[in-house]
Amino acid sequence: NFMLTQPHSVSGSPGKTVTISCTRSSGSIASNYVQWYQQRPGGAPTTVIYEDKQRPAGVPDRFSGSIDSSSNSASLTISGLRTEDEADYYCQSYHNHNQVFGGGTKLTVL
Amino acid sequence: QVHLQQSGPGLVKSSETLSLTCGVSGYLIRNGYYWGWVRQPPGKGLEWIGNMHHFGDSYYNPSLKSRATISLNTAVNEFSLKLSSVTAADTAVYYCARISYCGGDCYSNFEWGQGSLVTVSP
């Protein structure tokens, strides 16, 4: 199976923009949908992006997702950073019915 | 809106079988979707355990070496996880989830239960 690699941590100041990458080790990133989940301390994950770039109802448009076939990676971009965005973020995809999660990225809003 | 409510013991002895149940409200599990489990060891990331469709198709993480079994009970609209021969490495928060399915090998969004901490004791 493949792996999804994320940076361990990223940080940004309020109002700024951060991008979290998720690189697929084998197979094309574009072949299977990528989802992004936010997990605040002590809480369950919640979806911020599904199907590469779709936002669930209630998720602000400050959150956006994209796919880059040249780097075989997906990205989550958060603009206009707010203190409540501080959380762990996980990417997720699948292949041959096996679900795979990235290792998670801790976002710190300084 | 679907709501997933987990239940089950928070402490399991080593070598025994972990059992968790996820009650579903707001949607009938026999109407579609995959239903599955994900776990998160303390301080670590998310690990997919497996999922099942009401048609009977099921898929599991190969790393669990056939210790996991998921079953659906459409009569009471709940699904369950059994994990056999547990060790300390199975200590984790376990989440149930509804998984969107778009056909073939195509999946989408996970919707999550509240999570249950299960500790494996010696």
Side-chain angles (χ1 to χ4, degrees), chain A:
Chain A
N1 221 343
F2 65 93
M3 295 175 54
L4 295 172
T5 300
Q6 302 179 230
H8 185 258
S9 63
V10 298
S11 63
S13 302
K16 298 299 186 183
T17 298
V18 295
T19 297
I20 300 172
S21 62
C22 171
T23 302
R24 180 165 169 161
S25 61
S26 61
S28 172
I29 192 72
S31 296
N32 308 104
Y33 286 134
V34 176
Q35 282 62 240
W36 290 91
Y37 303 98
Q38 177 191 69
Q39 186 179 35
R40 294 193 173 103
T46 61
T47 307
V48 291
I49 294 291
Y50 69 99
E51 294 178 8
D52 299 341
K53 58 182 180 182
Q54 305 300 321
R55 270 190 317 276
V59 174
D61 61 5
R62 301 186 297 104
F63 290 82
S64 63
S66 63
I67 298 292
D68 181 359
S69 295
S70 65
S71 60
N72 213 35
S73 64
S75 293
L76 172 68
T77 298
I78 310 171
S79 59
L81 271 177
R82 305 176 69 160
T83 54
E84 61 259 37
D85 298 332
E86 187 161 291
D88 294 326
Y89 292 84
Y90 294 89
C91 60
Q92 172 260 321
S93 191
Y94 55 88
H95 180 61
N96 285 343
H97 302 281
N98 289 310
Q99 310 293 329
V100 177
F101 287 92
T105 298
K106 181 176 181 58
L107 169 62
T108 302
V109 181
L110 302 169

Side-chain angles (χ1 to χ4, degrees), chain A residues 1 31-33 35 37 39 43-47 49-51 56 90 92 94-103, chain B residues 34 38 40 44-48 51 59-62 95 99 101-102 104-110 112-115:
Chain A
N1 221 343
S31 296
N32 308 104
Y33 286 134
Q35 282 62 240
Y37 303 98
Q39 186 179 35
T46 61
T47 307
I49 294 291
Y50 69 99
E51 294 178 8
Y90 294 89
Q92 172 260 321
Y94 55 88
H95 180 61
N96 285 343
H97 302 281
N98 289 310
Q99 310 293 329
V100 177
F101 287 92
Chain B
Y34 271 84
V38 176
Q40 185 173 34
K44 297 188 177 181
L46 301 169
E47 179 184 30
W48 172 67
N51 41 257
Y59 303 95
Y60 296 96
N61 190 325
Y95 294 99
I99 304 161
Y101 179 57
C102 33
D105 185 28
C106 177
Y107 295 84
S108 180
N109 186 37
F110 281 56
W112 306 77
Q114 82 275 19

